Amino acid sequence: MDWDNVAAEDVIEALREVEWSTPPRSLGEFFSRFAFPRSFSKWKSRLKCNLYYYRTNYFILVIFVLGLALITRPLAIVGTAFTALSIAFLNDSFAATFNEKFIRTIRLFSPHMAAKMRPPHMPVIRGRSAARKTVYVCGKPRWVFVVIFLTASLVMWFSSCGLLWVLYAFLTSLFVVIVHASVRTPNLKARLNTFREEFRAVWRNYSEL
């Protein structure tokens, strides 16, 4: 896969739609084979490749750095957990899996309430281009839960330690991620994995025709 031809918007879209349930890469693989890129184009290609391939590791790394910086502030740690949950809701597979498991748990206690949490049925119209599917969580669009958890996290951060310290810790974690993604050389497994996912995407689009 030629990452030079992949735009940043495409990487963000792929991260939103990709399956995040896969376990993170091993520490031995994550902290091995570092080298500086030879050119600016090589750096951009490596950055996009590593951000996609090590996405779970970077997500855990950001949460770890935030938790380490806020270890003496319990409310801020809860706010960090809420932020992580709101970011996770932006991923399609996580939101759908969370919705199904939560409704399944509610059904054990109240089947009537669980039925109300089902997403509305969207009619399929032939002859029209497929619009972007709206992801629902507990019967509501997922952006509702994203806003709720982000608001709760901001309140907890502001009441515990101030938003400036949280911003500093978050920027530090992003800096660590960018540095690692810039100097970690893409291995053969990463290239083969991107080829395999590219083939699956093409096959999926072909089967929908």
Side-chain angles (χ1 to χ4, degrees), residues 99-114:
N99 179 64
E100 288 297 327
K101 291 185 177 180
F102 187 80
I103 292 179
R104 195 178 304 163
T105 304
I106 295 297
R107 190 185 296 119
L108 299 176
F109 305 97
S110 178
H112 181 68
M113 182 181 296

Side-chain angles (χ1 to χ4, degrees), residues 148-174:
I148 290 175
F149 282 109
L150 281 180
T151 304
S153 62
L154 288 176
V155 171
M156 290 184 179
W157 284 344
F158 184 78
S159 60
S160 61
C161 61
L163 296 179
L164 206 59
W165 177 253
V166 176
L167 180 62
Y168 170 75
F170 182 69
L171 291 178
T172 302
S173 64
L174 289 184

Side-chain angles (χ1 to χ4, degrees), residues 42-179:
K42 291 291 185 181
W43 172 76
K44 291 195 301 181
S45 177
R46 180 185 297 183
L47 183 66
K48 288 179 285 188
C49 177
N50 287 333
L51 286 177
Y52 182 81
Y53 185 69
Y54 295 108
R55 54 187 178 271
T56 308
N57 297 73
Y58 291 145
F59 182 77
I60 296 175
L61 181 61
V62 170
I63 300 303
F64 175 76
V65 173
L66 285 175
L68 194 63
L70 307 173
I71 194 170
T72 58
R73 300 171 173 86
L75 280 180
I77 294 179
V78 177
T80 302
F82 282 169
T83 302
L85 189 59
S86 62
I87 295 175
F89 273 131
L90 296 177
N91 179 255
D92 293 350
S93 63
F94 177 86
T97 303
F98 179 88
N99 179 64
E100 288 297 327
K101 291 185 177 180
F102 187 80
I103 292 179
R104 195 178 304 163
T105 304
I106 295 297
R107 190 185 296 119
L108 299 176
F109 305 97
S110 178
H112 181 68
M113 182 181 296
K116 290 184 177 180
M117 292 181 178
R118 285 291 177 184
H121 295 284
M122 304 299 293
V124 178
I125 303 176
R126 296 180 179 272
R128 293 187 180 179
S129 59
R132 183 177 299 279
K133 183 180 178 181
T134 303
V135 179
Y136 288 86
V137 178
C138 300
K140 302 293 183 181
R142 64 173 165 190
W143 63 264
V144 175
F145 289 87
V146 173
V147 172
I148 290 175
F149 282 109
L150 281 180
T151 304
S153 62
L154 288 176
V155 171
M156 290 184 179
W157 284 344
F158 184 78
S159 60
S160 61
C161 61
L163 296 179
L164 206 59
W165 177 253
V166 176
L167 180 62
Y168 170 75
F170 182 69
L171 291 178
T172 302
S173 64
L174 289 184
F175 176 76
V176 173
V177 168
I178 292 175
V179 169

